[in-house]
Amino acid sequence: MAPLTGDFSYGEWNAVYNALSFGIAAMGSATVFFWLQLGNVTKSYRTALTITGIVTWIATYHYFRIFNSWVEAFEVNEVGGAYSVKVSGTPFNDAYRYVDWLLTVPLLLIELILVMKLPAGETAALSTKLGVASAVMVALGYPGEIQENLAVRWFWWALAMIPFFYVVYSLLSGLGEATARQPESVVGLVSAARY
């Protein structure tokens, strides 16, 4: 959990408060939309769309948790007709972002692989490899996030870059052939998603 240093103006505090509120509304409504659209999507894409809904549902939950942590980390009071914002002493839990990414990044990569319509064995193998690599990437990033020593931060960053480059390499080179096999109408979309 990150200790918050110094006080924030009401405008700064309110901007974060409103951005988190917007995130909750956007992700929550996207979840409902994706799941309501399942019947309108070709059967071969329903699993991918279900995963999309799961990703946005997970994000909605974590936005709620981040929002609550943000509100609890501050005391907002009216002073002479204006609002004053002070750190409450309750730590702001920034680990929710990493928990979110630990779940959603692998799911998004698996979703991308599912829409590629690869053979079942290749889909399972690639989903496992990229899912694990992306989870390791996020897990290696968190220790660096909570370090105060800059050298230690860079060490964890460098470690997290190893699985990151593996994922990027796999998406750019390993799926190029599969992208070319896609129907003409979606080649551009799938190609753009790889980048």
Side-chain angles (χ1 to χ4, degrees):
M1 291 198 236
L4 296 169
T5 57
D7 293 329
F8 290 77
S9 72
Y10 180 70
E12 293 167 333
W13 180 85
N14 204 34
V16 174
Y17 181 97
N18 289 331
L20 291 170
S21 296
F22 180 79
I24 292 167
M27 292 298 172
S29 59
T31 301
V32 171
F33 174 78
F34 293 138
W35 287 343
L36 288 176
Q37 291 303 309
L38 283 171
N40 297 327
V41 175
T42 305
K43 190 173 182 178
S44 62
Y45 292 109
R46 287 183 188 157
T47 300
L49 189 59
T50 301
I51 290 173
T52 300
I54 292 169
V55 166
T56 55
W57 179 80
I58 290 168
T60 302
Y61 171 77
H62 285 113
Y63 270 99
F64 266 116
R65 300 296 304 197
I66 293 167
F67 177 86
N68 290 340
S69 183
W70 181 256
V71 170
E72 291 171 6
F74 294 93
E75 293 175 4
V76 180
N77 299 303
E78 184 185 356
V79 178
Y83 288 103
S84 156
V85 179
K86 300 227 180 271
V87 176
S88 70
T90 302
F92 174 66
N93 190 344
D94 61 347
Y96 290 126
R97 292 177 303 137
Y98 281 86
V99 173
D100 184 88
W101 297 335
L102 192 60
L103 298 168
T104 60
V105 173
L107 285 172
L108 288 168
L109 288 169
I110 291 167
E111 177 188 359
L112 178 61
I113 294 162
L114 286 172
V115 300
M116 300 291 288
K117 294 187 177 180
L118 300 170
E122 193 177 344
T123 296
L126 202 52
S127 293
T128 301
K129 288 177 192 174
L130 293 183
V132 169
S134 64
V136 169
M137 173 188 71
V138 172
L140 289 172
Y142 184 68
E145 174 79 17
I146 61 173
Q147 299 300 318
E148 293 195 21
N149 181 317
L150 196 54
V152 177
R153 279 184 176 231
W154 281 108
F155 170 77
W156 286 106
W157 175 84
L159 287 180
M161 287 292 100
I162 296 167
F164 172 77
F165 286 128
Y166 172 76
V167 169
V168 170
Y169 174 79
S170 297
L171 290 175
L172 293 179
S173 65
L175 293 178
E177 199 176 296
T179 301
R181 291 190 304 235
Q182 296 300 310
E184 180 100 19
S185 61
V186 297
V187 168
L189 294 172
V190 173
S191 182
R194 288 175 42 225
Y195 292 100

